[in-house]
Amino acid sequence: MRAVIQNTFGGPEVLKVTEVERPRPLSGEVLIRVHASAVNPVDAAVRSGAFPLLGEPPFGVGWDISGVVEEAGPGARFAVGDEVYGMPFFPRAATGYAEYVAAPSRQVARKPTTLDHVHAAALPLAALTAWQGLVDAAHVKEGDRVLIHRAAGGVGHLAVQIAKAHGAHVTALASAARHEFVTNLGADEVIDYHTTDFTQAVQDADVVFDSTAQGARSLRALRPGGVLVSILEHGDTDLAATVAAAGRRFAGISVEPDYASLEAIAALVDAGRIRPHVEQTFPLAEAGKAHELIESGRVQGKVVLTV
């Protein structure tokens, strides 16, 4: 099969389409014929060596996939022909930029029926990050006031919709050029972080969803007893202690595969409550160009590879 492999750390040019052995599913696993694979900022960080998650190359990056079950191992919970999506193995290698991926059947879920594979592939890592932060950790509920950083980005634009689906009042941080996009996602208020200090504009949030490593500043936007959900600073014990000393709660999130949450997300998608936005697609052979775009910091929503 074809897969994108890198033999060294470096820029997007190190990503090369390579002929490799097709994986075989073990007991409880499925072999998925991949139709689309999303590109996330973590992919670029791993590729460059900035985030040495997978050890030394060679390896293939990529986790988000959507496709069709080609083979099912003994005891797998899907059958040949089922359409599935997920982010198997994260944070271990899945080699998601490939024609086939073998994955534990409990790390993927049935694809939302109302989405094509491109849009379904855009969901897993970003939507699970938002879900595990807002729903599992912060227990967002009707009437909560939620502040979301980088609300037009891959994780942020889904976090806005997940919070709204749970009845929250959402204040979104985004540049002026993204305000219409974020408002259309359902945000109740949008603040231009370039011109407004969000800590002055918001000081009574029940939850702050921080994907920008601004935990110390975000703490000032929380009411007593509020929850700071942090993605990039999830292992910062000093920040956690500071948050606790201030009478707030810290929730550090390192996303992990979770088929039950993927099923809940798919249900909201099919109910019309969540819609992933895909800014651009690239063929598998242009994975390097997709990484260039994701590293530009100018992506609205997601970037996806078609396989």
Side-chain angles (χ1 to χ4, degrees), residues 50-172:
F51 187 30
L53 193 63
L54 303 180
E56 292 292 321
F59 53 67
V61 295
W63 286 272
D64 278 340
I65 59 170
S66 182
V68 178
V69 174
E70 183 93 353
E71 298 178 34
R77 66 190 198 98
F78 293 106
V80 173
D82 286 343
E83 294 187 316
V84 296
Y85 80 128
M87 46 156 275
F89 295 114
F90 190 87
R92 301 184 187 278
T95 313
Y97 305 170
E99 292 180 323
Y100 294 90
V101 169
S105 65
R106 287 184 175 271
Q107 292 190 6
V108 296
R110 292 188 186 277
K111 179 183 75 65
T113 59
T114 54
L115 295 184
D116 58 22
H117 286 291
V118 167
H119 287 82
L123 279 170
L125 195 147
L128 282 175
T129 300
W131 187 276
Q132 290 169 12
L134 292 170
V135 181
D136 294 346
H139 310 300
V140 167
K141 61 187 184 302
E142 184 84 29
D144 278 353
R145 301 184 67 84
V146 178
L147 174 67
I148 297 175
H149 285 267
R150 201 174 284 168
V155 174
H157 89 289
L158 295 169
V160 169
Q161 296 175 79
I162 288 170
K164 289 302 298 179
H166 285 78
H169 178 282
V170 173
T171 299

Side-chain angles (χ1 to χ4, degrees), residues 1-7 12-20 59-60 95 97-99 282-289 305-307:
M1 71 170 187
R2 295 183 307 144
V4 176
I5 303 295
Q6 62 181 90
N7 292 306
E13 71 281 354
V14 304
L15 299 175
K16 304 292 185 183
V17 175
T18 307
E19 289 288 331
V20 300
F59 53 67
T95 313
Y97 305 170
E99 292 180 323
F282 294 86
L284 192 65
E286 295 182 2
K289 290 183 179 179
L305 300 175
T306 55
V307 184

